[in-house]
Amino acid sequence: MSNSIAMRDMGPVRPLAEDVNPLEAQASFPGASTQAPNHMDNDSNRPSATELGGSQSEPPGDTRHNSHHEIHGDHDDDNDHEDRERRRRAAGPFKNPRVNTETSISEERGTGPLGVFDIFAFIANKMIGTGIYTAPASVFLLTGRKNLTLGLFGVGFFYSLISTFLYLDFAAAFPYTGGELVYISEMTAYSGIRESSPTQGQVDKTPSPPRWRKTKRIFGDGLLAYVAYSILFVAFFNSGTNGMQTGRLVLLWVNAGDVDENGVTPDVNRDLVRFLGIVVLSVICLLQYFSPSAGRRLNRGFAAIKILTLIALIGVAGNTARVRRQNNEGHSAEWQEENPVTSPLSFAKAILAVLFSFEGWENATFVAGEIPRHQHKVLQKGFIIAVVVVGVLYLAVVSAVLDALSWAQLNEQRTNVNYAPLLTGNGTAARRGWAIMAAISSLGSLNSIIYTFSRVKQAIGQADILPWSKVWKKDDSMDRARDVSVQETRNPTNPQHYIHKSPQGGLLIHWTMSVVVIAGSSATANTIESIGIPGYIQTYVHVFVLFTLALVSFRLPGRERALATLTQQPIKSILRPSELTNPFAKSIWYLLWLLYILMNLTIIVVNPVPPYSGSDGSNVSFPGWGFPAILFSVLAFAISYYLVIFCPLPREYPPNQPLDAPTPGDQIPARWTRNPLHAAGIRAKIEFDKDYNEALPRVFRFGRRWRVVYSIEGDRDGEEYDSSTTKLFLYWLFGGDRLKESPPRRFWEWLRERAHLR
């Protein structure tokens, strides 16, 4: 239920050692870390809160308390009081809180490791997976018509292009790691300032009117959307389908010589597919765990191989189609023929298969924080080139394959929709060769997805809104530097130090959830369907996210102006829909925007309608009603989690500068104090910045304007710690790490004592 959230102390500041990882130094909710201060969640403009366990208002050694005694000359009493407080804390169940203030860094943040080709490769690798080696056949089996199949892929290309321009617009305003996590949070936020046009170079940041108070309370200034998306992302955005596809392709390569009388490879062992999927997933996660630069190098290499492979596939399919026409086996009438399908609504499943094939155009925005600062054109060029190149190649592949193969050929291959071997004689060598090429494609997708998704999950951990976030947010502290320039960037005070580090916590969470999904797919008997289910659910959830973002995208110009500082102006570009000034161009965009929303809504509504078809066109399928049931069940849990844990907390908007005077509405008091955090002996509040202060690492790296501040009941002078077993257990269960002895350790010691007595 609760969260692992970082707390900051108000005591004397201890400098951060160079060998201490800033993300590791930050404690998890709800216990204060005994590590050194954290530079990843710093702000020099105001004192910070305690790590779960440091006191915000009256921490140990609080100067306000000491000055009170000095004024009265009670130095001896003051020393006695401090001694009593030290003894009280030493006798309590918690370790002493550590100092953890937010400090700014230099405005110069370097160039970032990602260039145009890196962006191109991240998108191309995720888009070009195993889907293009199966989707043309499976979509044709679902629709029964070649022209409709090609048309659906055209719709997928159009959908990707509209999404590209929409996301480039968001990325120009919010160029931070996390992508959608930041977009959906800011687009549903109201940060207490008017979203009006600047006048004479000034940005109007007057207080919000009273009618917004209730809205700010419910939506938490974007925190509700942040929490909900975080839980959806952790639950559904994984590598389950890609891992299992790789395992399946390996088995197809091994069993290439084992075919039935029709030349069809029988259904492979589903359990072995899952085992191999977990093995491949583990290998790539471990590779990136110990070498983040290896992930970037593999990303570039796999992208080049995939593009060349698609070009080769187009050539082979085109040659096969030419031979068919010469033998009078193919004719143009095939494109209008209607073949029998399971259901007239099976096209809904076909749309999901198409969109899953195009999934990945958003991949680079997840790591926008690693793109050179203020170099939006790097993302823009790589993004557009990748989507256009892959989209054109996809349409060429589908057109050539459908022209080369007949319905009868594919209908015989329902248990194995890998159509590529049919283009080259379907012999043992052909089946093995194409299986290897598809497996390489799947590995490239796995590498790209793991690289980007793990960084988003680390960003979620850095926000400290979920249990055990100290584990999620962890960077590694290994020294791989071999030259002086890299060694200098390893210094935690250098804003580029994280470039050479791996998001080990994010990788661990990503691996865990992917394994859970792979294990859960065993409930479906059909191999093709069970492999595709995680990907289809992820695509369905993503469509819902896109639908939501499209609905609120009209707020982008106002939000961008409202959050800009006087030195930051919106990026001007003819490719940004929010910056269009020509009435005709704006009308065209509004029309495309409306079609985009209707497309997303259609996918959300139609897929649950029965009857249902499997990915191979058979009756063995995942029920369509399961998509919205799973989505809205998890969404309901996420909203409930927010309403119970965070909605009641007090929120503050501290002045950006020490001399800034607070304005009305800068504080929202606590709604109620009794919540699960209170049951664990934890106090919390939320602090919001009114704009983006890019001198703060949590801002320029993760795009987060807020932080949750925790302390432990008992840290304040005169308070007593509650040492009850229930409260200490809840504190540990929520992720607190300040306990001198954790409940499992105490239980283990108890067992040892019992065993010794016997």
Side-chain angles (χ1 to χ4, degrees), residues 105-147:
I105 61 166
S106 168
E107 287 294 331
E108 185 62 39
R109 284 179 293 280
T111 59
L114 303 182
V116 173
F117 187 70
D118 292 290
I119 302 304
F120 171 87
F122 275 123
I123 295 173
N125 267 315
K126 190 166 184 283
M127 291 182 72
I128 307 173
T130 56
I132 193 60
Y133 292 95
T134 59
S138 61
V139 172
F140 184 29
L141 292 172
L142 286 167
T143 61
R145 295 175 58 182
K146 289 187 175 181
N147 54 4

Side-chain angles (χ1 to χ4, degrees), residues 257-309:
D258 183 14
V259 296
D260 59 19
E261 63 276 7
N262 296 320
V264 179
T265 303
D267 202 0
V268 294
N269 187 303
R270 294 189 295 276
D271 295 329
L272 191 53
V273 163
R274 296 183 184 93
F275 172 76
L276 291 175
I278 293 174
V279 170
V280 172
L281 174 71
S282 303
V283 169
I284 296 181
C285 283
L286 285 173
L287 178 65
Q288 295 195 22
Y289 189 93
F290 293 108
S291 178
S293 60
R296 293 191 286 268
R297 290 194 294 269
L298 285 175
N299 178 56
R300 293 188 286 268
F302 276 125
I305 293 173
K306 287 185 177 188
I307 295 297
L308 294 176
T309 302

Side-chain angles (χ1 to χ4, degrees), residues 67-86:
S67 62
H68 169 77
H69 288 281
E70 289 174 5
I71 292 173
H72 292 79
D74 297 333
H75 298 289
D76 294 337
D77 292 343
D78 182 45
N79 292 334
D80 291 342
H81 175 76
E82 290 182 355
D83 289 340
R84 287 195 301 271
E85 283 300 311
R86 280 195 293 269

Side-chain angles (χ1 to χ4, degrees), residues 141-161:
L141 292 172
L142 286 167
T143 61
R145 295 175 58 182
K146 289 187 175 181
N147 54 4
L148 181 56
T149 299
L150 182 60
L152 288 180
F153 274 89
V155 170
F157 187 26
F158 169 79
Y159 183 91
S160 299
L161 286 174

Side-chain angles (χ1 to χ4, degrees), residues 605-672:
V605 172
V606 174
N607 267 282
V609 178
Y612 311 119
S613 298
S615 301
D616 55 359
S618 67
N619 291 319
V620 180
S621 68
F622 179 77
W625 57 263
F627 295 119
I630 292 174
L631 166 62
F632 291 110
S633 295
V634 176
L635 186 62
F637 167 79
I639 294 174
S640 301
Y641 176 83
Y642 163 81
L643 292 175
V644 171
I645 303 296
F646 294 106
C647 186
L649 298 182
R651 294 200 292 275
E652 296 181 359
Y653 294 79
N656 292 340
Q657 300 296 333
L659 298 180
D660 285 354
T663 55
D666 280 357
Q667 294 187 357
I668 300 178
R671 189 72 173 182
W672 60 83

Side-chain angles (χ1 to χ4, degrees), residues 13 45 150 169 175 197 201 204 327 379 433 439 586 631 635 692:
V13 177
N45 295 328
L150 182 60
D169 209 2
S197 301
D204 183 7
N327 296 335
L379 177 65
K586 291 181 70 173
L631 166 62
L635 186 62
Y692 278 99

